[in-house]
Amino acid sequence: MMFNALLAPFNDPLFHLPLVTGLLLAGVLPVIGTVLMLRDEWLAALGLAHLAAAGALLGHAVGLPGLIGATLGALGGGVYKTAAQARGNVAYGMMILCGWSATLLIAANSALGEQLAHALAEGQLYFAGAGELTATLLLLIVVFWTLPHLMPHLLRSRFFPRCEHANALPAWQWHFGFDLLAAASLAVATVTLGLMSAFALALIPAWIAFQHAPSWRWTLIGAAGGGVLSYLIAFATALHFDQPFGPVLVAVLIAAALLFKFHRD
């Protein structure tokens, strides 16, 4: 009986569009997070999400759709990182501070700013529509078209860092390409799922997969599968108990991390 009640939200046509949109993001974000963790730049997920939130608010303030503002904000961070030749989590820590400051200042000085800032932090998945689904589908096409081409270069850069310099390879091209890919992914996810939900989906499934997967291929598969499974559990639980989706998703992901941690120990 309880199981049937949890499955009931999946049969409601009202939630089909948000369900599919979030499900696609839950599959792609952990893959992006896995590469960020490989590069020791896992804080990028939070830094870019903060810039996306600030960009979305600024977009609303000047009359632009939130998706466009969020994407421009996150892409701006990716462009700056490459132009400044910044590496590691320090650059993303600065993005967090810049995004946090800008978000609160814009919220305090624009109509409906506080409500929008709260919505971006908590997530608006239940209100996802055709725009969010279209952006997500375009994101998936770009990710699965470009990431297989970037992946060999990113792996070589991580494990054989001197190879690029010794062979005079244009390493900035693939680093810049992935930075933009990560920025676009976090922008769409932040507007759709919420700031902390996007960060948690990029971080926790990747972290779990890194601890348990026997190979790089299985790390990518395990991260994507863990993200999708956690999302489905959170979606059903949140709707069944009438709870906000973002905090429930983060709680489910934290529970999964603790479960795998204790199981490993």
Side-chain angles (χ1 to χ4, degrees):
M1 190 72 177
M2 181 67 174
F3 183 73
N4 291 332
L6 287 174
L7 290 180
F10 297 106
N11 297 321
D12 191 337
L14 181 64
F15 296 110
H16 284 174
L17 198 59
L19 171 64
V20 173
T21 303
L23 187 64
L24 296 175
L25 287 171
V28 72
L29 265 185
V31 174
I32 297 295
T34 301
V35 182
L36 289 172
M37 189 163 289
L38 173 75
R39 299 171 63 178
D40 286 332
E41 291 183 341
W42 55 267
L43 200 57
L46 190 56
L48 293 171
H50 271 82
L51 291 182
L57 276 179
L58 183 59
H60 279 293
V62 300
L64 288 175
L67 271 171
I68 295 178
T71 302
L72 291 176
L75 289 178
V79 171
Y80 171 78
K81 177 176 177 290
T82 298
Q85 297 183 343
R87 288 287 181 269
N89 285 320
V90 173
Y92 292 112
M94 295 298 292
M95 291 184 193
I96 293 172
L97 297 175
C98 291
W100 177 81
S101 176
T103 298
L104 294 185
L105 288 173
I106 295 169
N109 292 278
S110 61
L112 300 177
E114 291 186 5
Q115 292 90 331
L116 288 172
H118 178 75
L120 284 169
E122 185 178 287
Q124 306 178 81
L125 177 64
Y126 299 149
F127 302 102
E132 288 78 10
L133 179 58
T134 301
T136 301
L137 289 173
L138 290 174
L139 173 66
L140 258 67
I141 292 172
V142 173
V143 168
F144 287 106
W145 177 264
T146 59
L147 195 57
H149 299 286
L150 292 173
M151 191 70 76
H153 301 294
L154 297 172
L155 290 171
R156 182 179 60 202
S157 175
R158 174 59 176 164
F159 295 111
F160 305 101
R162 296 183 180 180
C163 180
E164 297 171 349
H165 180 72
N167 293 280
L169 298 175
W172 71 271
Q173 295 181 6
W174 42 81
H175 291 302
F176 182 52
F178 179 74
D179 286 341
L180 293 184
L181 204 61
S185 302
L186 267 300
V188 176
T190 298
V191 173
T192 306
L193 300 173
L195 192 154
M196 296 309 295
S197 298
F199 174 54
L201 264 177
L203 173 66
I204 295 180
W207 178 82
I208 294 173
F210 260 82
Q211 308 302 311
H212 297 274
S215 67
W216 177 245
R217 181 186 298 274
W218 280 107
T219 299
L220 295 173
I221 294 172
V228 168
L229 180 60
S230 298
Y231 169 83
L232 291 173
I233 294 172
F235 191 89
T237 303
L239 285 180
H240 178 73
F241 293 103
D242 192 24
Q243 296 297 309
F245 173 76
V248 173
L249 175 61
V250 173
V252 169
L253 287 167
I254 292 173
L258 292 174
L259 178 64
F260 276 94
K261 175 66 175 174
F262 290 140
H263 175 72
R264 185 185 181 193
D265 293 342

